[in-house]
Amino acid sequence: MAVTTGQLRQWKQDKRPIITLTAWDYAIAQVLDEAEVDLILVGDSLAMSILGHQTTLPITLDEMIHHASAVYRGVKRALVVCDLPFLSYQESTTQAIHSAGRVLKETGVSAVKLEGGYPAIVETIAQLTAIGIPVMGHIGLTPQSVHRLGYRQQGKTQEDADRIFNEAIALSQAGVFSIVLEHIPSDLAAIITDKLPIPTIGIGAGNRCDGQVLVTADLLGLTKKQPPFAKSYVNLREIITQAVHNYAKEVQEKNFPQ
């Protein structure tokens, strides 16, 4: 049975951790879904891990729709969420509705994710949820704000911690079904998680969130440089390199094909 936003909320009440990973194509999406990942995020992180950009900023809405469509076709069970990329929702609520509507209409995914918890974004999200578009929030380290925030941990001062806490409350009241908490102190993430009626998904935010997310390329050891909070469970770069060397050797020695 397909995972729903309501089920995620129930899992929070049941204290059942929510397993989240990112995907960028049909094949990876199939693998994650068959492994019973609960939530698959088509994150704009694919701009860096898959398309080779230095930040997430260059990726376009059309590119996100292209990848999200491929991911959706590979999934039967997991809830699929797609990031709205930089400058596809910040200009106005009308722009955000148009972009989110295109994503849902053209890809088949169930929800969109927007970064930030400042008042204008909260108002935009409230408008999206009011017309029936499911939205996931994202606060703390928000990569689309890299030129202002960098990639350093957020919420370390009391002032910043209070701001992030208040953003979480405002987003919950605006109707988001879940919030990603990225690279914030674990104590702050735990306070937010305990306060909110909706699930929190942590990345670099400690183990007291309602679920965890990793960039799948990091988990598989495909990226050369990982953030400090990531973990590789296998080194596919090494495995793939060796496989290619073996193939090349057989071709050179005319042992393939036999």
Side-chain angles (χ1 to χ4, degrees), residues 6 17 47 83 88 134 141 151 153 155 158 167 169 226 238 243 247:
D83 272 353
S88 70
L141 194 166
Y151 291 117
Q153 188 183 54
Q158 189 61 52
E167 288 177 348
I169 298 299
Q226 298 186 350
E238 185 178 289
Y247 165 72

Side-chain angles (χ1 to χ4, degrees), residues 79-182:
L79 180 75
V80 183
V81 179
C82 179
D83 272 353
L84 290 189
F86 178 67
L87 219 57
S88 70
Y89 60 93
Q90 291 96 335
E91 291 182 3
S92 66
T93 300
T94 299
Q95 184 202 31
I97 292 172
H98 179 75
S99 297
R102 278 196 64 196
V103 169
L104 267 60
K105 189 179 183 70
E106 297 177 33
T107 70
V109 307
S110 298
V112 294
K113 179 167 75 64
L114 280 65
E115 290 186 8
Y118 52 92
I121 287 296
V122 171
E123 183 179 346
T124 293
I125 289 172
Q127 291 293 320
L128 289 171
T129 59
I131 63 172
I133 296 177
V135 178
M136 172 179 265
H138 182 160
I139 55 176
L141 194 166
T142 49
Q144 291 179 17
S145 302
V146 60
H147 294 311
R148 180 171 64 88
L149 302 177
Y151 291 117
R152 62 185 180 273
Q153 188 183 54
Q154 302 297 303
K156 295 172 72 174
T157 68
Q158 189 61 52
E159 181 182 0
D160 284 345
D162 290 344
R163 173 183 55 79
I164 291 170
F165 176 83
N166 290 331
E167 288 177 348
I169 298 299
L171 287 171
S172 178
Q173 292 173 345
V176 298
F177 66 87
S178 179
I179 298 180
V180 171
L181 303 178
E182 181 167 355

Side-chain angles (χ1 to χ4, degrees), residues 2-226:
V3 176
T4 65
T5 58
Q7 194 167 20
L8 297 183
R9 190 162 181 156
Q10 183 59 52
W11 283 343
K12 177 185 176 78
Q13 300 305 315
D14 296 340
K15 300 188 182 303
R16 187 275 206 191
I18 299 163
I19 304 161
T20 306
L21 284 170
T22 65
W24 56 85
D25 65 11
Y26 174 80
I28 290 294
Q30 272 194 319
V31 171
L32 300 188
D33 197 50
E34 289 170 3
E36 298 189 342
V37 168
D38 302 315
L39 194 158
I40 295 176
L41 174 64
V42 187
D44 60 2
S45 57
L46 70 86
M48 301 169 70
S49 60
I50 306 303
L51 301 182
H53 294 296
Q54 294 300 305
T55 71
T56 64
L57 302 185
I59 199 163
T60 67
L61 182 61
D62 285 340
E63 288 174 320
M64 290 301 301
I65 287 172
H66 171 82
H67 286 275
S69 297
V71 168
Y72 178 75
R73 290 192 289 270
V75 173
K76 295 181 179 178
R77 173 186 173 273
L79 180 75
V80 183
V81 179
C82 179
D83 272 353
L84 290 189
F86 178 67
L87 219 57
S88 70
Y89 60 93
Q90 291 96 335
E91 291 182 3
S92 66
T93 300
T94 299
Q95 184 202 31
I97 292 172
H98 179 75
S99 297
R102 278 196 64 196
V103 169
L104 267 60
K105 189 179 183 70
E106 297 177 33
T107 70
V109 307
S110 298
V112 294
K113 179 167 75 64
L114 280 65
E115 290 186 8
Y118 52 92
I121 287 296
V122 171
E123 183 179 346
T124 293
I125 289 172
Q127 291 293 320
L128 289 171
T129 59
I131 63 172
I133 296 177
V135 178
M136 172 179 265
H138 182 160
I139 55 176
L141 194 166
T142 49
Q144 291 179 17
S145 302
V146 60
H147 294 311
R148 180 171 64 88
L149 302 177
Y151 291 117
R152 62 185 180 273
Q153 188 183 54
Q154 302 297 303
K156 295 172 72 174
T157 68
Q158 189 61 52
E159 181 182 0
D160 284 345
D162 290 344
R163 173 183 55 79
I164 291 170
F165 176 83
N166 290 331
E167 288 177 348
I169 298 299
L171 287 171
S172 178
Q173 292 173 345
V176 298
F177 66 87
S178 179
I179 298 180
V180 171
L181 303 178
E182 181 167 355
H183 207 17
I184 64 173
S186 59
D187 288 347
L188 174 59
I191 291 169
I192 293 171
T193 299
D194 289 342
K195 181 68 174 179
L196 296 185
I198 57 172
T200 60
I201 307 296
I203 178 166
N207 63 3
R208 290 183 284 177
C209 296
D210 297 305
Q212 298 291 331
V213 60
L214 275 179
V215 173
T216 299
D218 291 340
L219 179 150
L220 297 177
L222 288 172
T223 50
K224 275 191 173 182
K225 185 179 180 181
Q226 298 186 350

